[in-house]
Amino acid sequence: MSQILFVLTGAQHWTLADGTQHPTGFWADEAVTPYEAFKAAGHRITVATPGGVVPSVDQASLSAEANGSQEAADRVAQGLDAFVELGQPLSVEDVRIDSGGGPAGFDAVFYPGGHGPMEDLATDSDSGTLLVRTLESGRPLGIVCHGPAALLAAHTQQGASAVHGRRLTGFTNAEEQQTGLAAKAKWLLQDRLVEAGAHFDEGAPWEPHVVVDGNLVSGQNPASAGPVAAEVIKMLG
């Protein structure tokens, strides 16, 4: 049995280029599907957020349209109700680093997406340190959709971006354009990751796409959350 740390956004909005606050949070299925997979494999889950705030779900992620059907949306909503650890988060800044260089007491770390990470985790230095230490420790790091925005705050002690030279994926410019938000955004995730030196691997829009680079397992979009969790479970196994 392994202990897995879920790091979620604490943001309830995403500030657009014109200053408008777009309602957001974490994307429900990107948290629920991995949570269910990890629990089914016998693992334990702890949640952390910036400041230890209870994370807010993006209400759009609970719609039938976002999930492909009302039946699927109901399943996600039920899974969210069962994710009781969401109500008792740690503060990211309180996660200690152990002698092995990774997060103390945790065997893997997982970052779901939603637009929320673009608002807070992208500039959160405590989360950035956690990411750097996890990558350096060799412990599995799963990160999905807009979750890789948190990697923009991850810098080595020498000041280099932790994603420089790494193969990864995340929510693409094409997908953001199809949401209708690309033209309104201050910046796009794919662009910023490439600027940071990552080798961005783009799959077909909305199709499952997972990239494994050492202990870093990244997924492109909501459909990739389950496959990312499966790769992390294999690494733990």
Side-chain angles (χ1 to χ4, degrees), residues 31-123:
V32 167
T33 295
Y35 174 81
E36 292 175 340
F38 292 140
K39 295 288 277 190
H43 303 310
R44 294 181 177 176
I45 307 298
T46 298
V47 169
T49 64
V53 301
V54 175
S56 297
V57 65
D58 188 324
Q59 293 298 314
S61 69
L62 298 175
S63 69
E65 180 182 7
N67 291 282
S69 69
Q70 188 59 54
E71 181 180 3
D74 291 343
R75 181 196 67 78
V76 170
Q78 291 168 3
L80 200 59
D81 289 340
F83 197 159
V84 294
E85 293 89 346
L86 288 170
Q88 300 175 318
L90 300 175
S91 180
V92 173
E93 52 265 37
D94 290 338
V95 177
R96 296 178 295 106
I97 303 301
D98 62 23
S99 59
F106 298 103
D107 304 291
V109 177
F110 190 88
Y111 277 67
H115 282 107
M118 304 274 280
E119 183 73 19
D120 60 356
L121 294 175
T123 58

Side-chain angles (χ1 to χ4, degrees), residues 7-15 21-31 49-50 53-62 80 86 111-121 144-147 149 181:
V7 180
L8 282 82
T9 176
Q12 298 182 3
H13 69 266
W14 176 33
T15 305
Q21 294 185 348
H22 178 75
T24 188
F26 69 89
W27 199 257
D29 194 33
E30 294 173 17
T49 64
V53 301
V54 175
S56 297
V57 65
D58 188 324
Q59 293 298 314
S61 69
L62 298 175
L80 200 59
L86 288 170
Y111 277 67
H115 282 107
M118 304 274 280
E119 183 73 19
D120 60 356
L121 294 175
V144 178
C145 199
H146 289 91
L181 291 169

